[in-house]
Amino acid sequence: MQAHALEHEHGHGAPSGLMRWVTTTNHKDIGTLYLWFAAVMFLLAGSMAMAIRAELFQPGLQLVSPDFFNQLTTLHGLIMVFGVIMPAMTGFANWQVPLMIGAPDMAFPRMNNWSFWILPAAAILLVISLFLPGGAAAAGWTLYPPLFIQGGISYDLTIFAIHILGASSIMGSLNIITTILNMRAPGMTLMKMPLFVWTWLITAFLLIAVMPVLAGAVTMLLTDRNFDTHFFNAAGGGDPVLFQHVFWFFGHPEVYILILPAFGIVSQIIPTFARKPLFGYASMVYATASIAILSFLVWAHHMFTVGMPAVGQLYFMYATMLIAVPTGVKVFNWVATMWRGSLTFETPMLFAIAFVALFTIGGFTGLVLAMAPVDIQLHDTYYVVAHFHYVLVSGALFAIYAGVYYWLPKWTGHMYNETLGKWHFWLSMISFNVLFFPQHFLGLAGMPRRIPDYAVQFTEFNMISSIGGFVFGASQILMLIVVLQCIRGGRKAEAKPWEGAQGLEWTVPSPAPYHTFETPPVVK
Amino acid sequence: MGLRRALPVVLAAACASLAAAAWADYQINFPPPKSSLAYAINDLHILIMWVCVGIFIVVFGTMFYAIWKHRKSVGHQAAQFHESTTVEIIWTAIPFLILIGMAWPATRLILEQKDTSNPDVTIKVTGYQWKWEYDYLQDGVKFMSVLATPREQIENKAPKGPNYLLEVDEPMVVPVGKKVRLLLTANDVIHAWWVPALGVKQDTIPGFIRDAWFTATEPGTYRGQCAELCGKDHGFMPIVVEVKSEADYAAWLADKKAKVAAAAADAGKVFSKEELMARGATVYNANCASCHMPDGKGLPGVFPAITGSKVATGAKAGHIGIVLAGKPGSAMPAFGPQLNDADIAAVVTYQRNGLGNSTGDLVQPAEIKALRK
Amino acid sequence: MSAQSHGGYYLPAPSYWPILGSAALLGLTLGATLFIHQVAGGGWVLLAGFALLVWMLFGWFGQVIGESEQGLYNQQVDSGFRWSMGWFIFSEVMFFAAFFGALFYVRTLSVPDLTSANNALLWPGYTGGWPTQGPGIKEAFEPMGAWGIPAWNTLILLSSGVTVTWAHWGLKRGNRTQLIAGLIATVALGLLFLGLQAYEYHHAYTELGLTLGAGVYGATFFMLTGFHGLHVTLGTIMLITILGRSLAGHFTPERHFAFEAVSWYWHFVDVVWLGLFIFVYWL
C-alpha cells in the first residue's frame, strides 16, 4: 500500500519484502494488515454465505448436506464477527487513532504486531477444522451446549481458536486504550477527541471486560467436553442455560463492540460532507457511554424463550427498551448535523446516510424483538436474521465501507474512482435490501433460522432473498477493484481531500508519511 | 451523469417488483392466530410496528428533506449551530415516554404468558434428535411424532406435497377451548417447541422441565417447527397439533388407550423373522436412518455405519446394550426409554440381518426385557 | 533508533518476537487439540509450542528489560505501562468473574431449580443443597473444609502481600537488603502456598472422592482454585524474575515499574483468593 514507506530514516537493517510485514512495528503497516486480513476473511465467509443462499434458493436439498449447511452457518457467523468486522475496526483504530490524536504510533508497537499476527493463526485453526473428520463445528456461532458437547475434534480446535482470538483482542484493546489515554497531543483533552477515538476508547473498554468472560465460557465447554466437568449438565447439578448466560454476558457487549466504532466513523463523515460541526458532540459521547453501560445489563434478552421467571423477562425487557433512548439520541444528532448543512454526496457520505437509515431499521426491529411477548414468536426465526444483518451489514459493514472510501486518499495518496464507488454503493444498497428485507416476512410467517430446507410457502421470499444475495456478493468485487486501482494510482490526493474535513489526520500529507507526529502537534 | 439518471428507474423497478410480490398473496405477517395468546401477541406486534413506522417516517422525512433542500448543489450555505440543550432534552424525553407506553401492554402479556395455573390438560413434551414425544400424563398415553415427508421429496426425486416438511406420522391432539399446559424437556440437546398459530415457543432443556400453555380457539391442524439448532436434522423435526372438538378428542384418546393395551400384549409375544424384519425396518427408518443412513452406511467421520460394524455383527447383548443405553458423549441416544421391547427387538434383528449384515440371529422382546435394568 | 527522534516516546524497531509468539500459540492450541484426541505426535506439537512460547517470553522480556536499563523509556512510556497493566488486571478480574458467576448461578438458581415440583418428574427424590454432586451422579464425595489448609493458605497469602509491600518500602528507601529479603520471603510464601494447594488436591482425589467429575461442585471447585493456582504460579515466576533483577542491581527508588506491576499482580491474586476462601471453601 505504500512502497515509499521503506525509505524511512531508521537504518537498523529493517527487513524488507514479506519480512517487513511480519516484523513491522508501525501502526500504519499493522492497520493495513488488519484491513487486508479482514478483506480476505470477508471473501471466505462471504462465499460461505453465497453457498447458504444457493442452498436456500428453493426447497429441497440441492447442494450441501444438512450437516455441512450447519458448518457453513457456524463458520460464516464466527468468521464474519471475529475475522471480518472486528479486525477491520481494529485496522481503522491502528491507522486513525494515532493520526487523530497526534501520537507518534501506538503505545506498544511490538504487542500491536502480535495482536495482529495471532489472527492468521486462529484463522488457520478454523480452516483446518473444515478438513478434519466430521468437518467443522456445526453448533452455530453461539456454541450452545449440549449440542456443542456432542461434536468431534474440530470443536476443540474452535474453542482454542476463540481463546487466541480473545488474547489478540485483549492485547489490541490494551494498546488502543493506553494509546488514547496516554498519548494524546498536548491540548487534546478527552472532550476534544474526535468521536471515532471516543467510540474506540469505549469499545476497547468493552473488549477488555468481556473477552475474558468468553474465554471462561469456552473453557467450561472444553472441560465439559474433555475433562468430565458438569457445568452444563443437569445430571451433575449444572445447567445448559448457564452457558447461554455467560455467553451472552459477552455476546451482548460484543454487539456494541462491532457497532460503536461504526458510530464513530459515521460521526466523522457526516459533519465533513454536511460542512457543519457534529450536532451534540457531548451528548454523542454520553450516549455512547450509556449504550456501553446498558450493554452489560441486558444479556438475557437473547434468551426470552429459555423459560425465565416472569420477573426476569420483565427486567430484561425494560432494560433492553432503554437502549432505544441513547441510540435514538445518536440518530437524531446525525440528522440534526445534516439539517441546514451544505450537503454533497460522495461515496463515503452515501454509505454514511445509508448507515443511518438502515441501521435504524435494524434498531426498530430490535425494539420489536425487545418486547418479550413478541420475541416469543420471533426468536430464532429469519426475523432475527434480518434484524442482525441490518445492524451488522448495513450497520457495521457499510460504516467500514464509508470509512475506507473516506480515508483511502489519506492512506494511498490517491483519490479513488468516484463513479465506481457510487456504483458499488447503489448496487450494495439495493441488493442488500432485496436480500434482507424479505427475511423479515419469512420470520414473521414462521421460518426458523439455521435450517437447510424449508416448507414450500417460504419459497418466493427465499428466492428473492437469494437473488439479492448473489447481486450483493458480486457487487463487493467492485469494492476490491476500486481499492486496488486506488493503491496503484489515480488522481493525487491533497493533504485534505474533503472540503469540510476537520481533524489532525488532514494536517499531514497524503499519503501519510511512514512516521507522523514524531513531534507532537499542539491542539488549541 | 448516467448513473444518476438510471437510478430512479432501477429503484422504481425494485419497488414495483416488491409491490407485485405483496399482491401475489405472499405472507408478510404472522399466520392467523388460533389461540388467545397468539391474538394478544399479534395485537402487540401490530401496535409496536406502527409506532416504529411512524417514528421512522418523521425522522427520515426530516433527513430526506435536508438531503433534498440543503444540498450544496442547490447553493445551500451551511449553518454552524452544533448544540441545543432544549432540543436534546426533548428528544431524550419523548422516546422515553413512548417506551413506557409500549411497556405497559407488554408487561400485561408477559404475566399472562407465564400463568400456567389451572390447566385442563397437561402434556409432557420431550425433544429428541430429531423427533418429539408426547406424554399425556393423566391418561397414560405416550407416543413419538416424527417427520412424515418422504425422503424422495426432500431429495427432489418426487414433487413436494403442500405440507412439505410440516407433516408428522402422529400429531399431538388437544381439545378446543381447554387450557393445555405443556411440560417441556429434552433428552439430548436443546430443542424448541414452536407452533406460531398457537403463540407458543419454549426451549426444551435437557434435565429441566419448563412449562407453557395455550388455549386453542378453533379446531384445525396447526403446524410448527423446532426452533433451536439441534444438529443435523434440526430442519426436519416439525410439530403438528390437531385441535379437535371435545367429543372427537375423547374418541381419539380412547383409541390411543386401546393401542397402548395392544402394544403391552406384544411384549410377551414371540415373533417370526419376517415379522421382526418388517417391523424393524419401520422402526429403523423412523429412529436410526437419519444418522446411520437408510442404507446403514453412516456418514464417515460423523456417524458410524451399521453395515459390517463390530457392534451389529458382534455379541447380541452388547448390541442391545448400546441401543438401550446409548453411547454417552456421542450423539447416540438411549432408546430404552423411547421404544418398547418389541420395537427394540425388531430393530436389533433388522440391523443384524439387514443393511448388509447377516448374523442370522433373532432377538425377541423377552430378551430386551431381561437386559433392561 | 534514538529515542529523541520520536519526541521522546521510544518506538521499537521491527521485531521477530511477536511472530514467534503466534507460531507458539498455533503449536500450543493445535498440539493440545491433537493431544486431547490422542492423535500421535500431538504431545510433541504441544511441547514444541510451549518451548517456543517460553523462548519468546524470555527473549521479548529480556529485550524490554535491556531497553529499560538503557534508559530508553521516558516518563510517558512508564505511564503507558501503568495504564495497560491496570487494564490487564481488570481483564483478569473479568475472567475469574465468569467462573464466580457460574458458581453463583448454580448455587442460587440451577441447583434449587432442580428440586422444584416440575423437575421432580425428571429427578425424583433429589433434594439439592450445597455441596451437591447433582441429581444424576451416584458417587458421593466429601467437600473441602475451610478451616484446615485453606485457612492456613489464606494466612500465607495475606502475609505474602505484607512482605511484598515491605520489600517495596525497602526499594523506595534505597534499602536493597530489605528489598531482597522481602522478595525472598514473598517467593517462599508463594511456593509454600502452591505446595499446600498441591497436597490439598492430592487429598481431594485420593481420600475425599472430590474430582473434576464430582458434579458441579467439583467442577467449580477445581476450575476456580485451579485457575487461581495457575495465577499464583505465574505470579511466583514473575516475583522470581524481579528478585533476579534486584540481585542484578536493577531498579531505582524512583523508577521501578516492573516491580510495581508484579506487586499489583500479586495483590490481585491475593484478593481473588479471599473471594475463593469465602465463596468456595467457607460459605
Side-chain angles (χ1 to χ4, degrees):
Chain A
M1 201 172 251
Q2 29 171 315
H4 70 281
L6 282 177
E7 309 149 10
H8 59 101
E9 72 273 35
H10 310 293
H12 273 308
S16 57
L18 177 68
M19 278 300 140
R20 166 195 167 192
W21 297 99
V22 170
T23 62
T24 181
T25 49
N26 180 285
H27 72 102
K28 301 182 183 80
D29 280 357
I30 294 170
T32 303
L33 285 170
Y34 266 110
L35 287 163
W36 275 115
F37 177 81
V40 171
M41 288 293 120
F42 180 67
L43 293 179
L44 176 65
S47 51
M48 289 174 181
M50 293 299 108
I52 290 168
R53 277 325 314 172
E55 176 58 52
L56 292 174
F57 185 73
Q58 60 189 67
L61 293 176
Q62 287 86 24
L63 300 171
V64 295
S65 69
D67 190 55
F68 189 62
F69 183 88
N70 290 344
Q71 297 176 31
L72 287 176
T73 53
T74 303
L75 281 183
H76 168 77
L78 279 175
I79 295 177
M80 282 294 187
V81 168
F82 291 104
V84 179
I85 305 290
M86 286 169 71
M89 293 301 185
T90 315
F92 278 108
N94 263 289
W95 254 103
Q96 293 309 129
V97 166
L99 284 179
M100 290 171 126
I101 63 171
D105 204 300
M106 297 290 280
F108 308 107
R110 277 181 296 231
M111 186 166 81
N112 200 17
N113 174 304
W114 199 23
S115 306
F116 170 75
W117 279 104
I118 287 174
L119 297 183
I124 289 170
L125 293 180
L126 286 178
V127 172
I128 289 177
S129 78
L130 262 175
F131 300 99
L132 289 175
W141 85 276
T142 49
L143 319 168
Y144 281 7
L147 185 60
F148 198 84
I149 309 285
Q150 283 183 351
I153 184 168
S154 54
Y155 287 64
D156 290 316
L157 269 191
T158 307
I159 290 174
F160 284 126
I162 291 171
H163 272 134
I164 64 175
L165 283 168
S168 154
S169 289
I170 292 171
M171 288 192 287
S173 306
L174 290 176
N175 223 330
I176 291 168
I177 213 165
T178 306
T179 305
I180 297 173
L181 291 175
N182 191 44
M183 298 185 63
R184 297 191 308 279
M188 179 164 290
T189 57
L190 285 175
M191 289 310 273
K192 279 187 189 164
M193 292 196 309
L195 213 72
F196 176 73
V197 180
W198 253 114
T199 55
W200 245 113
L201 177 67
I202 291 167
T203 303
F205 162 73
L206 288 177
L207 275 166
I208 292 171
V210 300
M211 289 312 284
V213 176
L214 176 67
V218 297
T219 304
M220 291 182 233
L221 279 181
L222 184 77
T223 57
D224 263 21
R225 283 173 51 79
N226 301 300
F227 304 111
D228 199 27
T229 58
H230 294 81
F231 285 107
F232 310 130
N233 184 343
D239 184 352
V241 176
L242 166 60
F243 177 83
Q244 301 183 21
H245 282 288
V246 184
F247 179 86
W248 287 113
F249 186 82
F250 145 80
H252 201 75
E254 170 70 18
V255 176
Y256 296 115
I257 287 164
L258 300 173
I259 202 67
L260 290 184
F263 289 167
I265 293 171
V266 168
S267 303
Q268 299 300 126
I269 290 172
I270 290 180
T272 297
F273 297 99
R275 291 165 182 76
K276 188 164 158 280
L278 183 69
F279 186 86
Y281 171 89
S283 70
M284 283 299 222
V285 171
Y286 301 141
T288 311
S290 317
I291 292 173
I293 291 163
L294 283 170
S295 77
F296 288 106
L297 306 174
V298 298
W299 73 90
H301 68 215
H302 297 267
M303 303 161 54
F304 279 143
T305 62
V306 300
M308 271 182 284
V311 60
Q313 306 274 80
L314 289 173
Y315 162 73
F316 283 109
M317 178 177 80
Y318 298 150
T320 305
M321 291 169 75
L322 275 183
I323 294 178
V325 174
T327 314
V329 166
K330 297 193 87 93
V331 172
F332 301 144
N333 280 341
W334 288 320
V335 172
T337 305
M338 286 158 68
W339 186 254
R340 293 178 55 209
S342 176
L343 298 165
T344 54
F345 303 98
E346 289 85 349
T347 310
M349 183 61 163
L350 290 175
F351 272 110
I353 292 171
F355 169 95
V356 176
L358 298 177
F359 170 81
T360 304
I361 293 180
F364 279 132
T365 54
L367 189 59
V368 172
L369 290 167
M371 297 286 152
V374 180
D375 184 69
I376 297 292
Q377 286 285 43
L378 296 174
H379 178 81
D380 261 330
T381 67
Y382 260 83
Y383 192 90
V384 175
V385 175
H387 158 71
F388 66 71
H389 282 96
Y390 265 83
V391 174
L392 291 181
V393 179
S394 61
L397 186 67
F398 275 20
I400 289 169
Y401 286 163
V404 168
Y405 284 113
Y406 184 56
W407 283 306
L408 209 46
K410 179 59 58 190
W411 298 342
T412 63
H414 303 126
M415 296 307 285
Y416 61 88
N417 182 330
E418 191 65 54
T419 312
L420 278 186
K422 287 209 164 91
W423 271 101
H424 173 228
F425 167 75
W426 285 107
L427 281 170
S428 298
M429 208 277 288
I430 293 166
S431 61
F432 166 82
N433 282 293
V434 176
L435 163 58
F436 289 112
F437 206 79
Q439 293 186 2
H440 293 113
F441 303 143
L442 285 172
L444 285 162
M447 181 168 160
R449 66 193 277 207
R450 294 167 167 164
I451 55 173
D453 191 6
Y454 49 82
V456 283
Q457 72 259 34
F458 304 132
T459 310
E460 288 79 6
F461 281 133
N462 268 297
M463 278 190 177
I464 295 171
S465 177
S466 287
I467 291 167
F470 301 143
V471 177
F472 184 80
S475 311
Q476 306 321 308
I477 307 293
L478 260 184
M479 168 88 180
L480 198 62
I481 293 170
V482 175
V483 171
L484 288 174
Q485 263 188 358
C486 185
I487 291 168
R488 289 164 57 101
R491 192 156 58 79
K492 282 263 164 258
E494 296 157 30
K496 194 177 95 163
W498 312 115
E499 185 192 7
Q502 303 282 338
L504 287 175
E505 78 261 43
W506 310 111
T507 62
V508 300
S510 297
Y514 200 61
H515 292 289
T516 35
F517 298 127
E518 291 173 277
T519 312
V522 175
V523 179
K524 287 185 285 292
Chain B
M1 185 194 268
L3 176 61
R4 196 167 288 172
R5 217 157 301 141
L7 264 170
V9 181
V10 176
L11 278 174
C15 292
S17 64
L18 279 177
W23 282 112
D25 200 24
Y26 289 18
Q27 191 186 331
I28 58 166
N29 202 345
F30 289 127
K34 299 292 177 186
S35 82
S36 49
L37 282 181
Y39 276 106
I41 294 173
N42 264 25
D43 292 347
L44 182 59
H45 172 249
I46 295 288
L47 168 78
I48 292 166
M49 197 193 67
W50 283 117
V51 171
C52 290
V53 169
I55 300 173
F56 191 89
I57 289 172
V58 171
V59 174
F60 291 94
T62 313
M63 186 178 88
F64 283 106
Y65 180 85
I67 286 174
W68 192 247
K69 287 286 183 186
H70 304 158
R71 279 177 294 157
K72 192 184 180 200
S73 54
V74 295
H76 195 272
Q77 294 294 314
Q80 288 303 314
F81 66 87
H82 58 87
E83 60 187 354
S84 160
T85 314
T86 321
V87 170
E88 288 171 59
I89 287 173
I90 289 172
W91 71 37
T92 310
I94 289 181
F96 196 78
L97 296 176
I98 295 176
L99 288 174
I100 291 174
M102 288 177 169
W104 176 248
T107 303
R108 290 179 44 174
L109 187 48
I110 287 179
L111 297 176
E112 197 182 338
Q113 278 175 329
K114 287 287 169 185
D115 179 14
T116 54
S117 59
N118 302 320
D120 300 309
V121 181
T122 302
I123 305 171
K124 181 171 168 241
V125 180
T126 309
Y128 289 85
Q129 284 172 317
W130 292 274
K131 54 195 173 255
W132 295 96
E133 181 191 67
Y134 299 106
D135 186 351
Y136 290 65
L137 291 172
Q138 297 121 316
D139 305 298
V141 168
K142 180 164 135 176
F143 56 89
M144 283 286 176
S145 177
V146 297
L147 177 73
T149 302
R151 283 217 76 83
E152 294 76 50
Q153 291 189 15
I154 296 171
E155 286 160 4
N156 306 311
K157 290 172 189 149
K160 294 175 177 34
N163 294 319
Y164 176 72
L165 294 189
L166 296 178
E167 51 201 340
V168 296
D169 58 347
E170 281 209 72
M172 177 171 124
V173 178
V174 297
V176 71
K178 296 282 180 189
K179 184 165 183 178
V180 178
R181 177 178 180 230
L182 304 174
L183 296 175
L184 301 116
T185 186
N187 185 57
D188 31 48
V189 302
I190 301 174
H191 305 267
W193 195 90
W194 178 35
V195 179
L198 299 177
V200 177
K201 183 187 285 143
Q202 173 60 53
D203 291 0
T204 66
I205 299 171
F208 289 84
I209 286 185
R210 300 289 155 89
D211 61 357
W213 72 277
F214 65 89
T215 302
T217 50
E218 64 185 271
T221 305
Y222 307 120
R223 299 166 197 278
Q225 286 180 269
C226 175
E228 180 64 60
L229 178 62
C230 57
K232 181 171 82 68
D233 282 353
H234 164 53
F236 304 90
M237 51 181 294
I239 294 143
V240 179
V241 177
E242 261 178 36
V243 177
K244 290 184 189 287
S245 69
E246 209 156 331
D248 290 350
Y249 174 72
W252 172 83
L253 204 57
D255 180 52
K256 270 303 201 193
K257 283 180 179 167
K259 283 197 179 131
V260 172
D266 278 355
K269 263 176 76 176
V270 174
F271 292 90
S272 73
K273 181 169 181 183
E274 286 66 38
E275 283 172 322
L276 286 171
M277 290 295 281
R279 185 169 183 166
T282 316
V283 177
Y284 181 86
N285 286 324
N287 294 287
C288 319
S290 55
C291 295
H292 297 295
M293 296 290 119
D295 60 2
K297 300 279 192 290
L299 273 183
V302 191
F303 300 117
I306 301 286
T307 310
S309 87
K310 276 188 205 142
V311 173
T313 57
K316 256 203 282 191
H319 187 179
I320 297 168
I322 285 196
V323 175
L324 281 174
K327 200 173 170 210
S330 79
M332 175 70 190
F335 283 98
Q338 301 184 37
L339 299 174
N340 63 39
D341 293 350
D343 283 341
I344 293 182
V347 79
V348 173
T349 307
Y350 177 71
Q351 292 182 352
R352 299 177 74 79
N353 297 289
L355 304 170
N357 295 333
S358 51
T359 57
D361 43 17
L362 297 190
V363 180
Q364 294 295 346
E367 295 173 61
I368 308 296
K369 191 170 183 191
L371 284 167
R372 280 189 196 264
K373 275 166 220 140
Chain C
M1 167 177 0
S2 68
Q4 283 69 29
S5 69
H6 299 289
Y9 197 91
Y10 176 72
L11 295 179
S15 169
Y16 283 93
W17 294 121
I19 193 70
L20 285 175
S22 294
L25 289 183
L26 185 61
L28 270 178
T29 50
L30 199 57
T33 309
L34 297 175
F35 182 70
I36 288 170
H37 290 269
Q38 290 155 10
V39 178
W44 292 110
V45 179
L46 179 63
L47 204 64
F50 187 71
L52 195 54
L53 187 71
V54 171
W55 182 45
M56 182 278 280
L57 289 171
F58 261 96
W60 192 338
F61 275 107
Q63 191 175 350
V64 171
I65 291 168
E67 287 162 1
S68 170
E69 289 301 307
Q70 287 169 52
L72 294 173
Y73 296 166
N74 65 5
Q75 197 56 48
Q76 198 182 15
V77 176
D78 191 73
S79 87
F81 283 145
R82 279 160 205 280
W83 275 115
S84 71
M85 188 68 194
W87 286 108
F88 170 67
I89 288 175
F90 172 62
S91 82
E92 291 270 43
V93 169
M94 292 307 290
F95 180 76
F96 278 98
F99 289 91
F100 274 110
L103 177 68
F104 173 80
Y105 181 89
V106 294
R107 288 187 63 167
T108 59
L109 293 167
S110 74
V111 169
D113 189 19
L114 281 167
T115 65
S116 72
N118 278 349
N119 288 318
L121 265 180
L122 297 175
W123 310 107
Y126 179 62
T127 53
W130 190 264
T132 178
Q133 73 262 39
I137 294 180
K138 297 283 170 287
E139 302 81 14
F141 67 89
E142 277 180 66
M144 186 65 68
W147 298 108
I149 291 175
W152 282 109
N153 265 343
T154 309
L155 198 63
I156 289 167
L157 272 194
L158 289 179
S159 316
S160 75
V162 174
T163 52
V164 81
T165 306
W166 187 65
H168 194 195
W169 289 348
L171 173 54
K172 282 203 283 198
R173 278 205 304 266
N175 183 342
R176 305 292 295 191
T177 325
Q178 184 179 335
L179 164 68
I180 286 160
L183 279 177
I184 289 173
T186 313
V187 169
L189 288 167
L191 292 174
L192 181 61
F193 172 91
L194 286 171
L196 288 173
Q197 202 67 349
Y199 172 79
E200 182 189 90
Y201 276 18
H202 180 75
H203 175 63
Y205 260 78
T206 54
E207 287 160 52
L208 300 181
L210 175 56
T211 65
L212 263 177
V216 78
Y217 177 88
T220 48
F221 175 83
F222 281 106
M223 295 296 277
L224 274 163
T225 57
F227 273 116
H228 176 261
L230 193 69
H231 282 75
V232 175
T233 312
L234 287 174
T236 308
I237 292 170
M238 286 154 65
L239 282 169
I240 292 171
T241 311
I242 56 161
L243 173 61
R245 289 185 63 186
S246 304
L247 289 169
H250 292 190
F251 307 132
T252 65
E254 295 78 32
R255 293 290 297 273
H256 48 261
F257 170 70
F259 180 97
E260 285 175 279
V262 172
S263 89
W264 292 354
Y265 192 80
W266 194 250
H267 289 308
F268 148 72
V269 167
D270 213 353
V271 170
V272 172
W273 175 260
L274 285 180
L276 286 178
F277 181 72
I278 294 168
F279 293 109
V280 175
Y281 291 96
W282 184 7
L283 295 180

